[in-house]
Amino acid sequence: MITNLEGKVALVTGGTNGIGKATALKLAKSGADIVVSGRNHEAGMQVVAEIEELGRKAIFLECDLFVYDSVKQMADRAVAEMGKIDILIANGGATVQYAKFFHELDPNDYDGCLNSQQSSRLYAIRALLDHMREQNYGKIVIITSDAGRIATPRESLIGSAAAGLVLMSKALANEFARWQIRVNALCLTVIQDTPGFDAVMATEASHVFQKAVDRAKLGLPNAEDVAEAALFFASPESDRITGQTLSINGGLSFAG
């Protein structure tokens, strides 16, 4: 996709590797300056260096996406150092450990999955909302699981959390439209060439995910495919699109 994000600043949470890193680089190549956020300082600084090689400004801000105060401090610092934030890519928070049949899940893990999948995104949105309201502009892209749209074995808990985010994206799009803030969601299945893919293929559920690999009619998507979709939702070309959900799954399933 060719678009112009000159003058825009994007914050990418979970931006130190995988999908987050690919998206940060994609936005930078289109002219945006980037705030990379995550917990791995060394990896984050490497992404910053790659963005700076593209001629864009970039900073890394460390934070714990599962603690609101940490996310809020990071967001406030991002606005202070970059002057504004126009685009939020709400990403991050691994859920591989929750890819189990429901009867195998420890009830004590329920909150952990919701925190990993939902709270990490909602904290970032809330932390930036007042700023976006004040500037009367914002693009928010929520990245979650396609299990929130399609009933998937071994992903009942992950799917529950993702489904909540899909519904939340629509509700927030409705609420935020008065401030010219758009909210859209990307739902993913198995994304190759990412740390998450390597992690899930190393679990006892790998044979289940291998079936998904084999059944993807158009081939398994990679992080670059997700980054392209995120770029579209972040771009001026999607200014009249909000509250929508796009599945990126290579034709594996077709949500109604």
Side-chain angles (χ1 to χ4, degrees):
M1 178 179 177
I2 300 175
T3 190
N4 185 359
L5 295 180
E6 290 280 350
K8 302 297 186 185
V9 181
L11 167 58
V12 182
T13 61
T16 58
N17 58 37
I19 291 165
K21 177 180 178 178
T23 302
L25 291 170
K26 180 69 67 174
L27 297 176
K29 288 175 183 177
S30 295
D33 294 326
I34 309 293
V35 178
V36 178
S37 178
R39 288 187 286 187
N40 188 326
H41 184 271
E42 182 178 355
M45 292 306 297
Q46 177 59 43
V47 178
V48 166
E50 292 183 40
I51 293 171
E52 290 177 338
E53 288 179 2
L54 298 171
R56 307 313 310 173
K57 180 179 180 180
I59 60 173
F60 170 72
L61 296 178
E62 189 171 345
C63 86
D64 185 342
L65 291 176
F66 308 141
V67 178
Y68 178 70
D69 287 347
S70 178
V71 177
K72 178 60 174 169
Q73 290 172 9
M74 177 274 294
D76 289 347
R77 185 176 168 191
V79 172
E81 294 197 22
M82 302 295 275
K84 62 174 182 171
I85 298 293
D86 302 293
I87 300 161
L88 168 63
I89 308 297
N91 171 61
T95 55
V96 171
Q97 65 269 37
Y98 306 113
K100 302 176 182 178
F101 289 117
F102 186 74
H103 71 275
E104 297 174 338
L105 289 163
D106 184 341
N108 293 313
D109 285 340
Y110 296 171
D111 287 345
C113 184
L114 289 172
N115 197 32
S116 179
Q117 186 63 224
Q118 279 191 356
S119 298
S120 60
R121 276 72 166 168
L122 299 181
Y123 287 165
I125 293 170
R126 184 63 189 91
L128 281 175
L129 178 57
D130 293 341
H131 170 68
M132 288 185 169
R133 286 175 58 193
E134 183 177 346
Q135 69 182 10
N136 200 47
Y137 180 85
K139 291 290 191 86
I140 298 173
V141 183
I142 299 172
I143 297 180
T144 187
S145 171
D146 217 22
R149 306 186 82 192
I150 301 293
T152 307
R154 290 183 180 265
E155 295 201 1
S156 57
L157 197 58
I158 296 170
S160 174
L165 279 177
V166 170
L167 179 59
M168 180 74 79
S169 68
K170 300 177 186 300
L172 296 184
N174 195 353
E175 291 183 20
F176 295 176
R178 73 195 72 179
W179 303 305
Q180 298 298 304
I181 300 171
R182 293 84 168 166
V183 185
N184 293 290
L186 300 177
C187 285
L188 319 179
T189 49
V190 183
I191 308 299
Q192 64 181 335
D193 301 327
T194 64
F197 178 80
D198 295 338
V200 77
M201 295 305 286
T203 70
E204 61 182 20
S206 60
H207 65 285
V208 175
F209 290 91
Q210 184 60 50
K211 290 180 181 178
V213 174
D214 297 337
R215 286 167 46 206
K217 299 175 179 64
L218 302 178
L220 206 62
N222 57 29
E224 189 73 6
D225 295 316
V226 181
E228 283 283 355
L231 174 63
F232 171 67
F233 278 142
S235 72
E237 284 76 9
S238 64
D239 276 355
R240 290 176 176 81
I241 300 175
T242 194
Q244 303 305 305
T245 303
L246 175 63
S247 291
I248 304 173
N249 58 28
L252 181 64
S253 59
F254 302 89

